[in-house]
Amino acid sequence: MNQDELKTLVGQAALQYVVPGQIVGVGTGSTVNKFIDALASIKDQIKGAVSSSEASTVRLKALGIPVFDSNDVSELAVYIDGADEINHLGHMVKGGGAALTREKIVAAQSKMFVCIADESKLVNVLGVFPLPVEVIPMASARIMAQFAQMGGQAQIRMKDGAPLVTDNGQQIIDVKGLKISDPVAFETQVSQWPGVVTVGVFAHQKAQICLLGTSDGVKTLKF
Ligand code: 5RP
């Protein structure tokens, strides 16, 4: 099975965690797109979704799935999202699709995080995938210097020759060369730096379940 087929497999498998009659939290990315497509097949059984990005909102609405403002929903039973990396404790690196801030917000309002990923995303130590960090532009140089002191090499994410602008009007820096051996401590520390909007380590908002697409089928990891 190729990577795209593995994503389809886990996107469909995630339907088992959607609670009938409720609103589901929906992440962002190519794996989540497969989930959204599958969700359309049971759209009459749910109230709708809280979305973590403009891109997912567009896809959900195009398929006839109502999208609710996160402020209008007190708690979600489940949030379904992909990851760039996940370790054996359910800690993740996210933000490859630049949606990390809203993803962390929806994850925080959800009782359970179900991560859907193909097996290439499972790692022992986070940090091989360049770490995305959403920042206030006027702080980017200072934040990049702080990462350099930790041994990381940071650069501003570009799109069409200019810094990428997130759904929140901010920028993303991607940091290579980090070895994140204590994700909880790392997330706590970097989140406190002035100008950091969101660090792409999801350790406080970790996954409880990971549906991992493998050549032998979907493996369920519980954390
Ligand atoms: C977007 C994300 C995605 O979940 C992550 O990048 C994985 O994406 P994909 O399913 O396309 O591999 O964090 O901000």
Side-chain angles (χ1 to χ4, degrees):
M1 247 184 280
N2 64 32
Q3 206 182 21
D4 194 61
E5 289 166 332
L6 294 178
K7 289 179 182 185
T8 303
L9 205 63
V10 293
Q12 288 170 345
L15 287 183
Q16 66 189 291
Y17 291 94
V18 175
V19 184
Q22 293 204 5
I23 299 171
V24 59
V26 174
T28 300
S30 56
T31 315
V32 166
N33 284 345
K34 306 289 192 183
F35 168 66
I36 295 174
D37 294 347
L39 191 63
S41 69
I42 60 156
K43 66 180 174 192
D44 296 337
Q45 296 168 41
I46 59 165
K47 260 172 96 176
V50 170
S51 168
S52 63
S53 63
E54 299 298 338
S56 289
T57 297
V58 167
R59 197 176 187 95
L60 286 158
K61 286 186 174 169
L63 290 167
I65 300 168
V67 176
F68 290 81
D69 188 311
S70 118
N71 288 303
D72 296 333
V73 180
S74 55
E75 191 178 69
L76 296 165
V78 63
Y79 176 60
I80 293 172
D81 197 0
D84 299 304
E85 290 184 331
I86 182 163
N87 70 13
H88 295 269
L89 295 172
H91 302 143
M92 295 163 284
V93 163
K94 292 183 44 54
L100 63 166
T101 296
R102 296 188 188 191
E103 291 174 342
K104 210 174 258 193
I105 292 168
V106 187
Q109 75 182 114
S110 304
K111 280 204 276 193
M112 180 167 65
F113 189 136
V114 176
C115 176
I116 48 177
D118 66 81
E119 59 192 341
S120 69
K121 307 288 183 69
L122 187 64
V123 298
N124 287 323
V125 180
L126 301 177
V128 175
F129 188 91
L131 175 70
V133 185
E134 184 163 356
V135 300
I136 304 286
M138 73 172 283
S140 60
R142 184 179 160 78
I143 293 167
M144 289 197 289
Q146 282 177 284
F147 277 119
Q149 281 175 13
M150 288 178 146
Q153 303 95 46
Q155 59 180 37
I156 296 177
R157 194 180 299 181
M158 305 294 283
K159 189 181 176 193
D160 302 329
L164 176 144
V165 179
T166 68
D167 286 350
N168 312 305
Q170 310 303 335
Q171 293 176 354
I172 300 282
I173 61 171
D174 293 301
V175 191
K176 288 186 191 160
L178 298 172
K179 208 169 158 194
I180 306 169
S181 48
D182 185 344
V184 174
F186 184 94
E187 183 183 8
T188 302
Q189 179 188 2
V190 175
S191 298
Q192 289 170 10
W193 293 353
V196 168
V197 178
T198 302
V199 58
V201 171
F202 282 52
H204 292 283
Q205 270 78 44
K206 72 178 192 122
Q208 279 73 47
I209 303 274
C210 178
L211 300 176
L212 200 67
T214 78
S215 43
D216 299 329
V218 178
K219 281 192 187 155
T220 303
L221 311 180
K222 293 187 179 172
F223 310 106

